[in-house]
Amino acid sequence: MKDYYQILRIPRSASKEEIKQAYRKLAHQYHPDKKGGDEQKFKEINEAYQVLGDERKKAHYDQFGSAFDSRGSDGFQGFDFRNFSGFGAGGFSASGGPAEGWDFGDIFSEFFGGGAKTSTKTRQSGADIEIDIILSLEEAFSGIEREIALRKYIQCPRCAGKKNEPGSSFSDCARCKGTGEIRREQRTFLGSFTQVTTCAHCEGAGKIAQTKCKQCGGAGRIQETEKILIKVPRGIENGQIVELKGKGEAGEGGYGNLYIEVHVREHTQFRRKGADIYSEREISLTQAVLGDTVGVLTLSGNVEVQIPAGIKHGEMIKLEGKGMARLGTGGLGDQYVQVMIKMPKRLSRKATELFEELKREGL
Ligand SMILES: [Zn+2]
Ligand SMILES: [Zn+2]
């Protein structure tokens, strides 16, 4: 019996939000397309979330959980909860056998809050790919174009994904009689349900190539390294995702998407708040008293800033239009420079005399 709570590393008392958070963190960590990913763990994590992330399924699991185990040694493996008519989990089913059964696309729409994602994937569409890129704040300011090399499945160029040797014909799949689906009626204590799986023999196509394509061996796709130009717009924020439609893996029903999560490194001198930049500038005691013009570093380069005489320690000077690029609009935010007055620690004899004189002046 699998313990879904243990898989997600959460207590049984975990809230809906905690379950979601745990799932996102772990799914991210073990995603098979990532370095250090683990497909088996990733599937387990998703399996656990399919149940615990759904209030009705969770309630069933909490109540009857161990009863599921009586179905046999394979536990939940390869069993598609989403096909339980009793759960009313409206019509999408996994493809293929257990190993093929996870549509990464659905997982990503979770990740990216993508309720709005207008994916019209069929169950055999290619997997989405997620990659990360790390930018400096300067690169996020200017926007970048970067070419990456991505090893992934592409549609077989010889058969155009049709799997047959060009010119050869197809016959109906004998196992599914050309429907591409295998249906099984089952009765359990939860009620009867129809389990629909994609025909493994024809992989849902309903037809079989009489002569397999020589290049892909009838798989319809081949692995290749593709060079992809990634354009990150100026003003992008840490954690935002750039979507490249159709740049994921090739599948039966077309290509998945490529998602690029952008990480913007912390800057040593700038702090970013939206489109505004905060920085500090140290000035001397005499500059503070007398005023001065000083150089200040901004993302647009060095600028001359007027320090008014008598400025106080910690006072902010606003540099309009010298901040971060605003995503989408092309405008710039502001930079706020906090003035830090450096107090002299050790005075020369001459300086001491001068300060003594200032003291007599009443300063
Ligand atoms: Zn081919
Ligand atoms: Zn078939």
Side-chain angles (χ1 to χ4, degrees), residues 218-237:
R221 57 181 199 167
I222 54 167
Q223 258 199 333
E224 203 168 84
T225 302
E226 191 184 348
K227 283 185 175 162
I228 296 168
L229 185 68
I230 295 173
K231 293 180 185 177
V232 179
R234 51 192 263 125
I236 194 115
E237 298 237 21

Side-chain angles (χ1 to χ4, degrees), residues 156-164 213-221:
C156 172
R158 184 174 175 86
C159 62
K162 292 186 178 72
K163 303 180 177 186
N164 64 325
C213 166
K214 284 197 183 97
Q215 190 173 352
C216 63
R221 57 181 199 167

Side-chain angles (χ1 to χ4, degrees), residues 61-80:
Y61 175 78
D62 288 345
Q63 198 177 347
F64 302 113
S66 58
F68 283 115
D69 207 28
S70 62
R71 288 186 309 104
S73 58
D74 65 342
F76 288 99
Q77 212 75 56
F79 189 79
D80 191 0

Side-chain angles (χ1 to χ4, degrees), residues 137 237 270-279 299 318-319 321-326 332-336:
L137 189 65
E237 298 237 21
F270 299 137
R271 271 172 298 121
R272 175 185 187 176
K273 274 187 197 164
D276 292 331
I277 292 290
Y278 290 79
S279 68
L299 284 166
K318 181 180 176 183
L319 307 180
K322 293 292 177 192
M324 190 64 193
R326 279 181 214 282
L332 296 180
D334 304 318
Q335 180 163 335
Y336 292 90

Side-chain angles (χ1 to χ4, degrees), residues 245-309:
K245 280 200 162 46
K247 290 291 181 188
E249 307 257 30
E252 307 262 328
Y255 280 89
N257 298 329
L258 173 61
Y259 294 100
I260 302 132
E261 184 167 349
V262 178
H263 303 271
V264 182
R265 263 200 304 267
E266 296 246 345
H267 197 276
T268 53
Q269 295 180 57
F270 299 137
R271 271 172 298 121
R272 175 185 187 176
K273 274 187 197 164
D276 292 331
I277 292 290
Y278 290 79
S279 68
E280 289 178 3
R281 176 66 161 90
E282 206 168 58
I283 59 168
S284 69
L285 184 58
T286 51
Q287 283 176 314
V289 173
L290 303 171
D292 201 357
T293 304
V294 299
V296 170
L297 186 66
T298 75
L299 284 166
S300 313
N302 244 307
V303 295
E304 299 270 283
V305 174
Q306 198 63 43
I307 304 286

Side-chain angles (χ1 to χ4, degrees), residues 173 176 180 199 201-202:
C173 172
C176 64
C199 175
H201 191 54
C202 63

